[in-house]
């Protein structure tokens, strides 16, 4: 998993292309074929997103169905400030978060959890992996293992992919949501900030911590399998 680099110049306004404008027009015209097309294109990704946020297949299916109903009811008010994909992801995320906190005494915004988590004094890498003696302080006890293959190759292996997903599931909820949206669903940093209602700084911190923990767990897993 790659780390974020460089400065963030700020969000770039979304500009819909011709295909995006056309599908929105067809949906507004209540064209059944257009709705079927958009469902076939995005349903699987929306269901994966809801399932990973809720860990309940029935609840995830209900949330996605609610999102499709919201699309039908709200397409006339859709302003095109984001893509339909991002809009649908945001609807599913909001519905999932609402469902996840429904039984709580009071609902706390996701952004509050994210801010606390990003601001926590938490090391990205287990300190036990570094020397603590003065003359070698903060140097690796043993250099990180060379896996011999790129991340893309490793992800293709079923067992490794399952281990990565299991490792993600052990992360704090806010880190889970960020890394799943960025590295599994392929959302941009701007989309994640919009979907979860967090700042770009919090997004970077949460993603870095999540990736570091998963990489550390995977390195130990691969080293133990040799």
């Amino acid at each position: 998993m790659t780390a974020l680099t460089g400065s963030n110049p700020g969000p770039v306004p979304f500009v819909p292309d011709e295909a995006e404008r056309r599908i929105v027009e067809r949906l507004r015209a209540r064209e059944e074929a257009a709705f079927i097309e958009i469902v076939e294109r995005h349903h699987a990704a929306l269901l994966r997103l809801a399932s990973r946020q809720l860990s309940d297949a029935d609840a995830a299916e209900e949330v996605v169905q609610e999102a499709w109903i919201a699309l039908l009811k709200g397409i006339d008010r859709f302003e095109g400030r984001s893509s339909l994909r991002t809009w649908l992801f945001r609807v599913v995320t909001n519905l999932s978060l609402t469902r996840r906190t429904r039984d709580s005494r009071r609902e706390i915004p996701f952004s509050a959890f994210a801010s606390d988590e990003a601001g926590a004094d938490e090391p990205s890498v287990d300190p036990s992996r570094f020397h603590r003696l003065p003359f070698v302080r903060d140097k690796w006890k043993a250099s990180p293992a060379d896996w011999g293959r790129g991340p893309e190759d490793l992800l293709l292996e079923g067992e490794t992919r399952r281990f990565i997903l299991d490792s993600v599931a052990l992360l704090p909820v806010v880190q889970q949501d960020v890394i799943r949206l960025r590295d599994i669903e392929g959302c941009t940093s701007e989309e994640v900030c919009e979907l979860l209602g967090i700042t770009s700084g919090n997004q970077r911190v949460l993603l870095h911590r999540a990736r570091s923990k998963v990489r550390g767990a995977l390195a130990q897993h691969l080293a133990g399998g040799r």
Side-chain angles (χ1 to χ4, degrees), residues 31-106:
E31 185 180 323
E32 182 178 353
F35 182 69
I36 294 173
E37 179 181 331
I38 208 75
V39 169
E40 290 178 344
R41 187 184 304 173
H42 297 302
H43 186 81
L46 294 175
L47 189 58
R48 285 197 303 271
L49 176 62
S51 297
R52 286 163 181 157
Q53 291 184 333
L54 295 171
S55 300
D56 183 317
D58 292 337
E61 187 67 46
E62 290 176 8
V63 160
V64 174
Q65 293 301 327
E66 289 180 40
W68 292 127
I69 293 172
L71 174 64
L72 291 173
K73 291 182 176 180
I75 189 61
D76 290 331
R77 299 187 301 275
F78 179 70
E79 298 180 352
R81 295 180 180 178
S82 63
S83 67
L84 267 177
R85 174 181 179 270
T86 298
W87 185 87
L88 287 165
F89 269 50
R90 183 167 63 248
V91 170
V92 168
T93 297
N94 289 339
L95 289 171
S96 297
L97 290 172
T98 298
R99 195 173 187 113
R100 202 159 66 187
T101 58
R102 183 177 295 171
D103 296 331
S104 300
R105 291 184 177 179
R106 63 187 182 95

Side-chain angles (χ1 to χ4, degrees), residues 111-123 174-175 199 201-206 209:
S111 57
F113 287 112
S115 180
D116 290 344
E117 179 70 24
D121 185 14
E122 174 189 345
V174 289
Q175 292 182 17
T199 67
N202 282 349
Q203 190 270 162
R204 286 195 298 271
V205 172
L206 293 167
R209 288 179 176 170

Side-chain angles (χ1 to χ4, degrees), residues 2-218:
T2 58
L4 291 174
T5 58
S7 60
N8 186 355
V12 178
F14 172 74
V15 179
D17 58 20
E18 182 59 31
E20 179 83 4
R21 287 192 293 268
R22 188 175 302 148
I23 193 69
V24 170
E25 290 173 359
R26 291 170 62 198
L27 288 169
R28 285 175 175 162
R30 304 301 187 269
E31 185 180 323
E32 182 178 353
F35 182 69
I36 294 173
E37 179 181 331
I38 208 75
V39 169
E40 290 178 344
R41 187 184 304 173
H42 297 302
H43 186 81
L46 294 175
L47 189 58
R48 285 197 303 271
L49 176 62
S51 297
R52 286 163 181 157
Q53 291 184 333
L54 295 171
S55 300
D56 183 317
D58 292 337
E61 187 67 46
E62 290 176 8
V63 160
V64 174
Q65 293 301 327
E66 289 180 40
W68 292 127
I69 293 172
L71 174 64
L72 291 173
K73 291 182 176 180
I75 189 61
D76 290 331
R77 299 187 301 275
F78 179 70
E79 298 180 352
R81 295 180 180 178
S82 63
S83 67
L84 267 177
R85 174 181 179 270
T86 298
W87 185 87
L88 287 165
F89 269 50
R90 183 167 63 248
V91 170
V92 168
T93 297
N94 289 339
L95 289 171
S96 297
L97 290 172
T98 298
R99 195 173 187 113
R100 202 159 66 187
T101 58
R102 183 177 295 171
D103 296 331
S104 300
R105 291 184 177 179
R106 63 187 182 95
E107 295 187 5
I108 302 175
F110 181 92
S111 57
F113 287 112
S115 180
D116 290 344
E117 179 70 24
D121 185 14
E122 174 189 345
S124 297
V125 181
D126 185 353
S128 66
R129 299 179 67 186
F130 298 97
H131 287 289
R132 304 311 300 166
L133 296 175
F135 57 91
V136 288
R137 185 179 299 277
D138 296 329
K139 295 184 181 296
W140 292 99
K141 289 181 178 178
S143 298
D146 179 3
W147 298 341
R149 291 157 291 173
E152 293 80 6
D153 295 330
L154 291 169
L155 281 171
L156 294 176
E157 299 182 7
E159 181 182 353
T160 302
R161 180 175 177 80
R162 284 193 298 274
F163 181 85
I164 290 173
L165 294 176
D166 288 344
S167 298
V168 169
L170 296 175
L171 297 171
V173 172
V174 289
Q175 292 182 17
Q176 286 186 45
D177 287 343
V178 171
I179 196 172
R180 282 170 173 163
L181 287 170
R182 284 299 309 276
D183 292 342
I184 297 175
E185 299 301 340
C187 293
T188 66
S189 59
E190 290 81 8
E191 287 176 325
V192 173
C193 291
E194 182 180 355
L195 288 168
L196 301 180
I198 60 178
T199 67
S200 59
N202 282 349
Q203 190 270 162
R204 286 195 298 271
V205 172
L206 293 167
L207 182 62
H208 174 66
R209 288 179 176 170
R211 284 173 169 172
S212 295
K213 289 177 181 178
V214 173
R215 286 185 65 89
L218 182 58

